[in-house]
Every structure is written in C-alpha cells, then in structure tokens.
Amino acid sequence: MTADTTLDLLDNDPVFHLKGGMLTMTVVELVRLSHDHFARQLAEKVEQAPNFFVDTPVVIALDKLTDPINAAGLTKLLATCREHSLQPVALRGGEDFRALAQSAGMVLIPVGRQREKIIEAPAPQPTPEPVTSAPPAAAMPSGGRLITEPVRSGQQVYARGGDLIVMAPVSAGAELLADGHIHVYGPLRGRALAGVQGNTEARIFCQNLEAELVSIAGQYKVAEDLRKEQHWKQAVHISLAGDSLKISAL
Amino acid sequence: MAKIIVVTSGKGGVGKTTTSAAIGTGLALRGYKTVIVDFDVGLRNLDLIMGCERRVVYDFVNVINGDSNLNQTLIKDKRSDNLFILPASQTRDKDALTPEGVERVLNELKETFDYIVCDSPAGIEKGAHLAMYFADEAVVVTNPEVSSVRDSDRMLGLLASKSKHAEAGEKIKEHLLLTRYNPERVENGEMLSVSDVEDILSIPLLGVIPESQAVLKASNQGVPVIMDDKSDAGQAYADAVERLLGKDMPHRFLELQKKGLLQRLFGGR
C-alpha cells in the first residue's frame, strides 16, 4: 500500500467546525479628537502594563466622539495604536461610520447592548451580603443543570447560561463550570469555576470546601491558598469582592 | 440470565488479575458456570495465576478473528467443572480487539455461562474500555493509596458514561474492593483507611482483602488465593463472593489483631 496522495472528495471528515464564541475585547472609546493628546495618553497607559497591550485586539469606539473624524484622521489614529502594538480590528459606531470603516478595511460593529467595564478601575462592587441559596428546583433559569450522580475525576460538567447544582460528591480531578452560580451539596474536592463568561456576580456555594481550585469570573484561588483559610472543609459561600475572592461561612 | 462482571481499576498492579481469578473461582465453587476472560492482550497473566499456562492453544484474538471456535479455545479449570478460562493473546496488542468481535464472543459465552468475569488491563485505553463496555456489574479494585483511589475514581466516571448500559441511560452496579489493606499501617497513618476510601469513591464496599503473604504464594503456584481457605486473604475473597451473590456478610480483617504466641505460630484465624 502506498500513501494515498489523491484528494478523496467523498471523504466526509469535516475540515472545519462553525462555533459560536464570546471574546472579551478592549474598547478604545474616543471622547474627543486630539492626536497629540491621544498619542501621549496611550503611551502612558501602555507604559503602565506593557505586556497587557502586546498584540491586543482593540475596538475603536466612535459613538461617544463629539468631534468629526475623517479618513485621514482615522488612519493616523490607527497608526498610533499600532505603534504601541495594539491591533485595531473594528470600529464601533452608527451607520454613518460605515464608509469610514470600509475605507480603513475595518469591520463596523453597531452600538449595542454590550456589557462594559472600565479596565484597571473596577466599578465598585456591591458589598456581598450573605445569600441563602434558593431551593434547587425553584427559579432555576433556563440552561441551569442539576446533577445527582457523583462527578468523578476527569469528568467535566458545564452549565451553559445558568446555574449548576450538584447533589453528590465532586472528586479531585473533576471540573465544574457554570455561567451562573455553582452549588455543591456534598464534598467539593475538584475544581469549581463560576461565572466563566465573566459574570462577576456569580457565586459558589458548597457544604464542604476541599476544592483544588475555585474561580469566579476568572479570579481564582488554588487549594494551597484555600487550605490556609479558616473555612477549609466547612460549608462556605464564595463571592467576588473587588478583584479577589471572598470566602465566608454559610 | 448471564451476568458480565468487569474487574477494573485504572491503575496497574493493584490486584485485578488476582481478584478476577479469586472471584471467578469462588463463583464456580458455589455452583455457577463461570468463565474468566483475559482482556490484557499482549500482557497475558491470568493463565499463570490460574495455573493453566501450559494448556493454552488458542486465545481470545483467535476467536475474534474466527481462527478458532470457543470450544477449542476455552480452557477448563482442573479444580472445578464449572470454571473456564479464555486466555488473552500474548503476541498481539489491544488493537486486535474490536467492539463487534468482543460483543459477538461475549454474546456467545452468555448462552452457556452464568457469570462472565472480564479481567481488565490497566489504563483507560482500548483494552480497558472494551473490557468494561458490555459489563452489567463492575468490581473496582483499589489499593488504600491516593493515586490508586484517584485512578479508580476516573474509572468510575468512565463506567458511568462510556459503557453500554450508561449509553442506554441505565446504571452499572458498582462494587468497591479494597486490596492490600494493612490495618497496622492504617493505624500508623501510613495508609488510607476503609472509610477514607469509601468517602472519596462513595460506592458500596464489596470487601477488604488484607495484605497477605498468601497472595504472592498463590500467584506463584498458579492456585487462585480463594482456594487457600486457611489464609486471611482467601477468606476475605470468599466473603466478597458471598456479598456479590447478595448475601450480607460482616467485614473482617479491618482491625489490627493482637496476635498471641500460638496465633503467631499457627497463623490464620
């Protein structure tokens, strides 16, 4: 048998998959147009966190801009961004910016309902109050998942778009993911990641905290740190306070 | 109705083959027509533990490929008329097993046998997967040691998702068998206790087999350790078989025995 060199057109193995995904993008929201000020302020920002800005895709938002902008002005702006290794990929604004976007070879993103937060100055978090977990069956949003069997090492459970409720042990090496809250009625020895799409209000509730890792909206703590908490092996609820996890007794 | 029991663990060297031999022999001695199937293609061991290595002509892969039929291939145990062994091939590897072939052979065995004990290879790859895929019950063999417990946990996850019963939305009956248990080392905090392991794996305990000289001796002599009814390990396996058949037996050999001089001299219990 020689290697098959002809392209078999009947081969049905997919070459690609179409998938939906959500990406977090940095938005450069222009307030007024002043190239000198823009260049200087951008340079200052980049200096504060050089690694953060390396090849970062950014969206240039023009919808809050009060001054008029033309193609030449935009070109200059984009050049300044690229000098600081930002990668502008799209413009955000109303339909009147479409021609401008096309001239610069950019995509135009309509002004929508995007959730935004200002980077490096997190919005003040509401002080977390002790929340009593609602009975599992009640008010479960669509997309929530209820698991009654043990989640074993190597298994992964994801509640897309909702809460995850596990009424069994979660073993070391298992992974729980939810866009909303995570409740575990049993020992939690694996990983629990709540608010994986960035929901900073998500929380983790468990009867026995022995987790390898807990995370809310990307902020995490590993077992080594969790062990030092006074609540290790106890019933706790975990919430995000500012940019660190707050663990309190249930 | 024939029952397929897989003996599995994930980790190697914990006592799967010893357990398969003991449980298969125990079932046969209690009057059930039993066959033990060695799924460890390429690392054949069951024939040695059963002491029938000199009578292997054909093997499991031959049957799957249609080179031989079951009558030619099954080896009858010399100790019990109810016990047969289907040896693995030593010259092939796990790729020689196909899901269709395994299913056909198991279905054929189901016609004549009450119990089919599948001795799984270590790992979670093809051989282990096929050994457990068609099972009705699983005996998960675990040593009281963290890495073995984690691998067993992984195996239980696979049993609950990647088996024929699981795919049909049913459950495989799971049993925990703790082997090489040493109460003295548990007391000294060097070994996980029964309750530690039960707590992590949360499945019913089928038995606890104490660490015993009798196991190695039995293996080297090619006699299943359950035949050695003077030994603690042999008695513990006999209890486990009774529990597998639904009998309620108290667990023994969990506590450290203070041995008197006579007991030291004569051993056993």
Side-chain angles (χ1 to χ4, degrees):
Chain A
M1 278 284 282
T2 54
D4 190 4
T5 49
T6 56
L7 182 65
D8 183 3
L9 293 174
L10 296 175
D11 188 351
N12 283 329
D13 277 354
V15 179
F16 64 90
H17 300 280
L18 280 179
K19 291 196 168 171
M22 285 180 74
L23 301 170
T24 312
M25 289 251 249
T26 306
V27 178
V28 178
E29 198 174 74
L30 284 181
V31 186
R32 59 197 175 89
L33 201 61
S34 163
H35 281 295
D36 295 342
H37 285 95
F38 179 73
R40 202 185 67 220
Q41 290 175 12
L42 186 63
E44 282 170 16
K45 292 276 181 212
V46 171
E47 206 174 314
Q48 285 170 16
N51 291 332
F52 181 80
F53 290 102
V54 172
D55 284 333
T56 307
V58 292
V59 176
I60 311 286
L62 302 174
D63 42 295
K64 299 275 168 65
L65 184 63
T66 46
D67 305 324
I69 183 167
N70 59 17
L74 181 66
T75 311
K76 205 169 162 191
L77 196 80
L78 298 181
T80 311
C81 288
R82 292 193 181 109
E83 264 173 42
H84 294 290
S85 65
L86 296 181
Q87 300 293 340
V89 291
L91 296 185
R92 196 184 73 188
E95 270 306 306
D96 39 342
F97 290 110
R98 185 164 295 280
L100 191 65
Q102 274 169 357
S103 75
M106 308 271 263
V107 186
L108 184 72
I109 300 173
V111 185
R113 297 168 284 118
Q114 296 99 332
R115 239 171 24 86
E116 286 179 9
K117 61 172 185 180
I118 294 172
I119 292 174
E120 95 243 320
Q125 300 284 329
T127 44
E129 296 157 25
V131 170
T132 47
S133 55
M140 191 146 95
S142 61
R145 283 184 78 177
L146 176 68
I147 307 287
T148 52
E149 294 295 316
V151 187
R152 303 284 183 187
S153 184
Q155 291 184 319
Q156 193 183 53
V157 184
Y158 179 24
R160 190 184 296 276
D163 294 355
L164 178 60
I165 297 157
V166 183
M167 300 178 64
V170 178
S171 299
E175 194 165 79
L176 306 179
L177 301 150
D179 291 345
H181 310 300
I182 294 176
H183 305 251
V184 182
Y185 300 97
L188 169 58
R189 301 191 174 105
R191 296 161 167 249
L193 296 90
V196 289
Q197 299 276 18
N199 180 6
T200 52
E201 299 299 311
R203 293 182 184 203
I204 298 169
F205 304 85
C206 66
Q207 281 191 326
N208 190 352
L209 176 69
E210 294 178 55
E212 295 175 322
L213 178 145
V214 291
S215 159
I216 294 174
Q219 298 292 343
Y220 64 89
K221 269 191 183 175
V222 292
E224 189 144 307
D225 302 321
L226 293 172
R227 275 171 190 278
K228 295 173 192 156
E229 300 273 344
Q230 53 171 328
H231 301 302
W232 181 250
K233 292 197 175 182
Q234 286 174 21
V236 297
H237 97 263
I238 303 167
S239 55
L240 196 59
D243 54 1
S244 69
L245 294 181
K246 185 177 169 228
I247 302 175
S248 33
L250 258 186
Chain B
M1 184 63 194
K3 252 188 197 158
I4 303 179
I5 300 174
V6 62
V7 178
T8 188
S9 70
K11 195 169 168 64
V14 295
K16 284 182 296 298
T17 302
T18 301
T19 300
S20 300
I23 287 182
T25 307
L27 289 167
L29 291 175
R30 281 156 186 78
Y32 296 97
K33 204 152 191 253
T34 305
V35 58
I36 313 176
V37 184
D38 191 350
F39 273 78
D40 205 348
V41 177
L43 294 166
R44 182 173 81 202
N45 281 162
L46 181 70
D47 54 328
L48 293 170
I49 307 288
M50 295 299 295
C52 64
E53 72 276 13
R54 293 179 200 162
R55 292 186 288 141
V56 176
V57 183
Y58 296 108
D59 58 53
F60 194 9
V61 173
N62 290 141
V63 186
I64 286 177
N65 292 342
D67 305 332
S68 65
N69 63 37
L70 275 174
N71 275 337
Q72 295 169 300
T73 313
L74 288 174
I75 303 171
K76 196 180 152 302
D77 188 80
K78 283 184 174 169
R79 294 160 290 240
S80 167
D81 289 340
N82 290 323
L83 186 58
F84 290 80
I85 289 105
L86 181 55
S89 169
Q90 182 70 352
T91 52
R92 306 292 295 271
D93 61 31
K94 268 61 168 182
D95 291 334
L97 298 174
T98 61
E100 302 76 27
V102 171
E103 184 169 29
R104 184 173 52 78
V105 174
L106 289 178
N107 281 340
E108 211 173 313
L109 290 172
K110 272 181 171 180
E111 288 167 18
T112 27
F113 289 95
D114 300 318
Y115 283 98
I116 301 163
V117 177
C118 302
D119 181 21
S120 171
I124 53 172
E125 284 79 29
K126 196 173 183 184
H129 179 244
L130 285 174
M132 61 103 160
Y133 185 76
F134 299 99
D136 302 305
E137 297 191 22
V139 174
V140 178
V141 183
T142 308
N143 287 170
E145 172 251 332
V146 283
S147 59
S148 173
V149 174
R150 177 173 291 188
D151 290 0
S152 294
D153 192 53
R154 178 89 169 100
M155 210 63 220
L156 285 164
L158 294 175
L159 283 165
S161 59
K162 298 268 167 65
S163 62
K164 197 178 175 197
H165 278 300
E167 286 172 5
E170 298 153 6
K171 275 204 77 174
I172 289 188
K173 200 169 171 194
E174 298 155 339
H175 307 275
L176 171 63
L177 188 78
L178 208 51
T179 55
R180 312 186 87 164
Y181 195 73
N182 186 333
E184 192 180 336
R185 299 192 68 184
V186 171
E187 202 152 280
N188 294 338
E190 299 167 4
M191 203 179 248
L192 295 177
S193 72
V194 178
S195 62
D196 290 340
V197 180
E198 274 187 299
D199 185 41
I200 297 171
L201 296 179
S202 52
I203 58 169
L205 184 65
L206 179 70
V208 178
I209 312 300
E211 186 152 49
S212 168
Q213 307 286 336
V215 175
L216 183 63
K217 194 176 102 191
S219 295
N220 286 333
Q221 290 176 344
V223 181
V225 69
I226 200 169
M227 304 292 288
D228 184 356
D229 53 14
K230 298 273 189 303
S231 72
D232 46 1
Q235 293 172 19
Y237 269 120
D239 289 359
V241 171
E242 294 292 351
R243 286 187 205 105
L244 196 62
L245 292 168
K247 217 168 151 188
D248 198 15
M249 303 281 287
H251 288 281
R252 294 193 274 171
F253 316 111
L254 303 186
E255 303 298 326
L256 185 58
Q257 302 292 324
K258 294 272 181 284
K259 282 191 174 178
L261 180 65
L262 284 177
Q263 272 178 308
R264 275 177 206 273
L265 286 174
F266 297 111
R269 270 167 69 104

